[in-house]
Amino acid sequence: MFVARLSLAVAAILLLATGCSSSRTAKVAVKDHKDRKKAPEFALKDANGQTVHLSDYRGKVVLLDFWATWCGPCKIEIPWFQEFERQHKDKGFAVIGVAMDEEGWDVVKPFAKYIGINYRLVIGDDTIATLYGGVDAMPTTFLIDREGRIASVHVGLSGKRDFEDEIQALLRDSSTSVSAGLVRAK
Amino acid sequence: MFGQSSPILTVAPPQKVVARRNAEVTAKISISLGDGYHANSNAPHESYLIPLKLTWTPAPLAVEAVTYPKAHDEKYQFSPDQPLSVFTGNFDITTKFKVPADAAGGITILPGKLRYQACNNTMCFPPKTVDVKLPVEIR
């Protein structure tokens, strides 16, 4: 009995350590350039009251994550995104978290502080949700290429490796954009 | 007619209750969650989770108690270590009302609201509030 329980515990740890890759909802590949559509522009306030436009990030690969504090699967992905931000921010990559909590910063700020989120957060609304296809479920994550086009969409808890592979592919894809001085976001 | 539905959670139209003045009456609300979905119970273990809650606009009846079914603890892919307190499948919520002695007789509709937040194993859905309309005959 003890061995069975131990095995289950080890399996759960391995599952988390590998980013749930063995049970991910779907493997999502980066779309071909010709199939990518322009990511809708938005203007939302960050925690400091500064307006964030997607166009501020032109020239960077952007991971745009729709999440909420009440969303359990989102909490699995957030540490991955923190790691991606740390690993790739100097290569022209940025994470933007769009919190969809109705209570806004009152709940998002304490949560972000508790978790130690190291990337930029904005509060979402119906307008941005509609622009991005409704966002009926969370997490919903868009990977946007350096030209501001949607390269992939993940709905639901995905695999860390899938995200990593796609980010690497997008960073390789058009690294010349960075050296051409197109990066404007801080 | 009196209930509202979503693909995830359905509230059956409540049956009419007959209430006598200065007495108690109990109404049952039947709820069904689709296969693979769960809603947080009325008392989730974690404070950040949104509880399922049934509320009523009490007049002309007074709400004495809302009783939820026993929740069960479940582990999910996104919560492999911490079980969540959830409702799944079909369950009932009962409400005990007190009918005031001076309540007007006749048939009325008592409006209620069911708020819940549901997930499946890999994704969560925004909190929703469903209108519940309970037909009440006061004699």
Side-chain angles (χ1 to χ4, degrees), chain A residues 147-184:
Chain A
E147 287 73 43
R149 298 169 306 183
I150 295 171
S152 73
V153 184
H154 297 253
V155 179
L157 179 59
S158 297
K160 182 182 179 185
R161 186 63 179 271
D162 292 342
F163 282 119
E164 182 71 51
D165 289 350
E166 292 176 21
I167 290 166
Q168 294 283 8
L170 290 173
L171 287 173
R172 279 195 307 270
D173 193 25
S174 51
S175 57
T176 51
S177 299
V178 179
S179 56
L182 290 174
V183 178
R184 294 202 306 247

Side-chain angles (χ1 to χ4, degrees), chain A residues 117-172:
Chain A
I117 293 179
N118 60 347
Y119 49 82
R120 209 166 188 186
L121 295 176
V122 294
I123 298 293
D125 55 21
D126 288 345
T127 303
I128 187 171
T130 302
L131 284 171
Y132 278 81
V135 191
D136 294 324
M138 275 167 268
T140 294
T141 306
F142 296 83
L143 273 168
I144 299 168
D145 70 15
R146 294 185 194 272
E147 287 73 43
R149 298 169 306 183
I150 295 171
S152 73
V153 184
H154 297 253
V155 179
L157 179 59
S158 297
K160 182 182 179 185
R161 186 63 179 271
D162 292 342
F163 282 119
E164 182 71 51
D165 289 350
E166 292 176 21
I167 290 166
Q168 294 283 8
L170 290 173
L171 287 173
R172 279 195 307 270

Side-chain angles (χ1 to χ4, degrees), chain A residues 31-43:
Chain A
K31 294 176 186 171
D32 286 342
H33 286 252
K34 61 180 172 49
D35 297 325
R36 297 179 192 173
K37 292 183 178 169
K38 185 172 167 36
E41 174 65 309
F42 57 78

Side-chain angles (χ1 to χ4, degrees), chain A residues 2-31:
Chain A
F2 173 75
V3 173
R5 283 184 181 168
L6 186 63
S7 300
L8 278 174
V10 170
I13 291 165
L14 284 173
L15 190 66
L16 280 178
T18 56
C20 303
S21 59
S22 61
S23 51
R24 56 199 173 208
T25 49
K27 188 170 177 66
V28 182
V30 171
K31 294 176 186 171

Side-chain angles (χ1 to χ4, degrees), chain B residues 90-114:
Chain B
N90 302 319
F91 59 96
D92 297 331
I93 302 173
T94 57
T95 306
K96 188 185 285 184
F97 297 99
K98 178 75 187 281
V99 186
D102 59 353
I107 295 176
T108 187
I109 300 294
L110 200 67
K113 289 186 183 300
L114 179 77

Side-chain angles (χ1 to χ4, degrees), chain A residues 25 69 75 102 136 138 157, chain B residues 48 77-78 115 122 124 126:
Chain A
T25 49
T69 59
K75 292 186 172 74
E102 292 171 352
D136 294 324
M138 275 167 268
L157 179 59
Chain B
Y48 61 80
Q77 181 177 328
F78 60 83
R115 183 165 170 79
T122 61
C124 289

